[in-house]
Amino acid sequence: MTCIVGLIHDNSVYIGTDSCVSFGHEYRIMPEPKVFRNGEFVIAASGSCRLLQILQYSFKPPAIGDIPIEEYMVTSFISALRSCFKDCGFSKKSEEKEEFEGYYMVGVRNNLYVGWNDYQIGKASTEYESIGNGSQYAMGSMWSTKKYKDPIKRINVALAASEAFVAGIKGPFVIMSTL
């Protein structure tokens, strides 16, 4: 179980995560963070630990160039991600659709995106977004702390709210930004 929280603040994107990996009734605190930098991107993922490893160490996002960021994300970024997952043996066919296990969040150039296991990717509809099992608590917290000026504090409060109510979400919390 995971909680990932992203926030656009002052021309930067902040993404924070918990550190817990759970399986059945057991959990472990991961020594490696669920959020990391990959070039100019800040990426976090939930689901399979293999998803995190591939996104961090094998995936090489292509250069953005001069196309609009939205177009880049739904074309070049996703195409490169599909190829990487296929090369790493991570994608699978399910009912004639190619899928993988997990979800991810991407911050780049003052934009926040969420990606799903069917290669769909969407831009956040507000300045914040959350994914994972604790996302409902985190979203409520982000809404109620809109007046906070410190983005790190907002994300920490949102992750703490999720930790308080969802089994399998545990600190320490790790936050990175595109700065």
Side-chain angles (χ1 to χ4, degrees):
M1 298 204 187
T2 295
C3 187
I4 298 172
V5 180
L7 173 65
I8 300 168
H9 180 85
D10 285 344
N11 295 316
S12 185
V13 179
Y14 295 79
I15 298 178
T17 69
D18 72 317
S19 294
C20 187
V21 175
S22 59
F23 34 95
H25 295 290
E26 297 183 36
Y27 72 90
R28 303 286 186 274
I29 301 302
M30 287 182 64
E32 303 86 17
K34 296 178 187 179
V35 60
F36 48 86
R37 285 186 186 84
N38 186 334
E40 69 178 291
F41 300 85
V42 172
I43 302 173
S46 70
S48 168
C49 290
R50 184 69 179 136
L51 171 62
L52 282 164
Q53 294 165 342
I54 293 169
L55 286 169
Q56 187 169 10
Y57 299 114
S58 297
F59 180 55
K60 305 295 182 224
I64 296 173
D66 59 358
I67 66 171
I69 192 69
E70 184 81 17
E71 181 180 346
Y72 166 84
M73 291 300 291
V74 301
T75 58
S76 303
F77 184 91
I78 291 298
S79 291
L81 187 66
R82 278 183 105 136
S83 293
C84 179
F85 284 175
K86 193 173 198 173
D87 291 346
C88 291
F90 191 63
S91 62
K92 62 183 177 187
K93 282 223 175 202
S94 172
E95 298 177 20
E96 297 306 312
K97 292 189 310 185
E98 192 176 330
E99 297 176 338
F100 60 92
E101 182 184 337
Y103 303 91
Y104 58 96
M105 186 177 284
V106 179
V108 61
R109 296 187 179 180
N110 202 35
N111 292 276
L112 183 62
Y113 292 89
V114 173
W116 289 269
N117 65 343
D118 62 355
Y119 295 101
Q120 175 185 182
I121 192 162
K123 191 171 185 178
S125 59
T126 64
E127 78 276 5
Y128 57 88
E129 186 58 78
S130 183
I131 58 175
N133 293 64
S135 65
Q136 291 177 324
Y137 295 99
M139 289 296 282
S141 175
M142 294 300 284
W143 182 86
S144 68
T145 60
K146 287 189 275 192
K147 295 187 193 256
Y148 286 27
K149 295 188 185 329
D150 181 351
I152 305 289
K153 183 175 182 179
R154 274 185 85 186
I155 291 173
N156 272 316
V157 168
L159 291 168
S162 295
E163 181 183 44
F165 294 102
V166 181
I169 296 176
K170 305 240 181 272
F173 304 138
V174 180
I175 301 170
M176 292 189 175
S177 76
T178 55
L179 286 176

